[in-house]
Structures are given as structure tokens and as C-alpha cells.
Amino acid sequence: AFVVTENCIKCKFTDCVDVCPVDCFHEGPNFLVIDPDECIDCTLCEPECPANAIFSEDEVPEDQQEFIELNATLSKEWPSITEVKAALPDADEWNGKENKKQYLEK
Ligand code: SF4
Ligand code: F3S
């Protein structure tokens, strides 16, 4: 499956949901996740993310490994999102900031 990682936090551009053929994105307050049981590895979402937050599970960076489990668990709790919406306020300023994990709202 593909995995949404830390740099989505506080950005949530949502370009990714537009291209997913199986609607497997789920939305939290300031982060999106992919349901690994629904993702068909089509790869379409990865290049759409302006924050470069999406990776194939086997290419998730070492310091982002915990997001594999976070996508699996939070996708079962959060509602589905299938349509693009406005990014979060200050998304451009937060894009690329380090240590955003502490701001993840569940
Ligand atoms: Fe959806 Fe394809 Fe991305 Fe999986 S890889 S989340 S199926 S767009
Ligand atoms: Fe997040 Fe990138 Fe999608 S910032 S909402 S994974 S386009």
C-alpha cells in the first residue's frame, strides 16, 4: 500500500484524493491517511502531493516508519474523503517544516 507521512500534517492539500480510483483516503483534522486494505498500489497519488508526503510502503523513509501503522489504524477511525477541498490555512508555510508529528490531531 501507499502511505501518507509527516509532511501532510498541517498542510492537507488534498490533491491526492482526486486521483485515487478506489477512494481509500480518510480525513482527520489536520492529516490524511490511506487505508492499506483498500489501496491497490496504482501509484497515481504519489506525484500529486505538493508536500511529497506519499510513499510506497517499501520506500517510506526510516524516520517515518511509524506512519505505516498510523495510516492502518487511523483509516479505520476517520471518515472517507473523495473530493478536493481547500488546504489548511498556512499550508504553504508548514510545507517542509520538520518535527510536525507533535501537531498531529487525532
Ligand atoms: Fe489510491 Fe492508488 Fe494512491 Fe493507493 S496508490 S492511495 S489506490 S491513488
Ligand atoms: Fe496530504 Fe499531500 Fe494529500 S499534503 S492531503 S497527502 S496531497
Side-chain angles (χ1 to χ4, degrees), residues 1-4 16-25 33-35 38-46 54-55:
F2 277 62
V3 177
V4 183
C16 53
V17 306
D18 203 31
V19 297
C20 183
V22 295
D23 295 343
C24 62
F25 282 89
V33 290
I34 292 167
D35 184 340
E38 302 290 333
C39 176
I40 57 171
D41 290 320
C42 75
T43 78
L44 291 176
C45 58
E46 184 178 2
I54 304 176
F55 294 87

Side-chain angles (χ1 to χ4, degrees), residues 49-102:
C49 176
N52 295 319
I54 304 176
F55 294 87
S56 171
E57 184 170 353
D58 53 18
E59 291 175 353
V60 173
E62 205 52 51
D63 66 347
Q64 300 287 302
Q65 288 289 315
E66 71 189 88
F67 282 90
I68 296 174
E69 182 63 26
L70 279 170
N71 277 245
T73 55
L74 295 174
S75 63
K76 305 302 183 194
E77 299 170 15
W78 288 348
S80 172
I81 173 171
T82 58
E83 285 177 17
V84 174
K85 59 198 263 188
L88 289 174
D90 305 323
D92 288 331
E93 282 88 294
W94 283 101
N95 187 0
K97 284 239 164 61
E98 292 183 359
N99 301 316
K100 290 199 279 181
K101 232 172 287 179
Q102 59 188 311

Side-chain angles (χ1 to χ4, degrees), residues 2-20:
F2 277 62
V3 177
V4 183
T5 62
E6 185 172 24
N7 202 33
C8 176
I9 296 169
K10 279 188 165 281
C11 291
K12 205 163 81 169
F13 288 108
T14 77
D15 302 62
C16 53
V17 306
D18 203 31
V19 297
C20 183

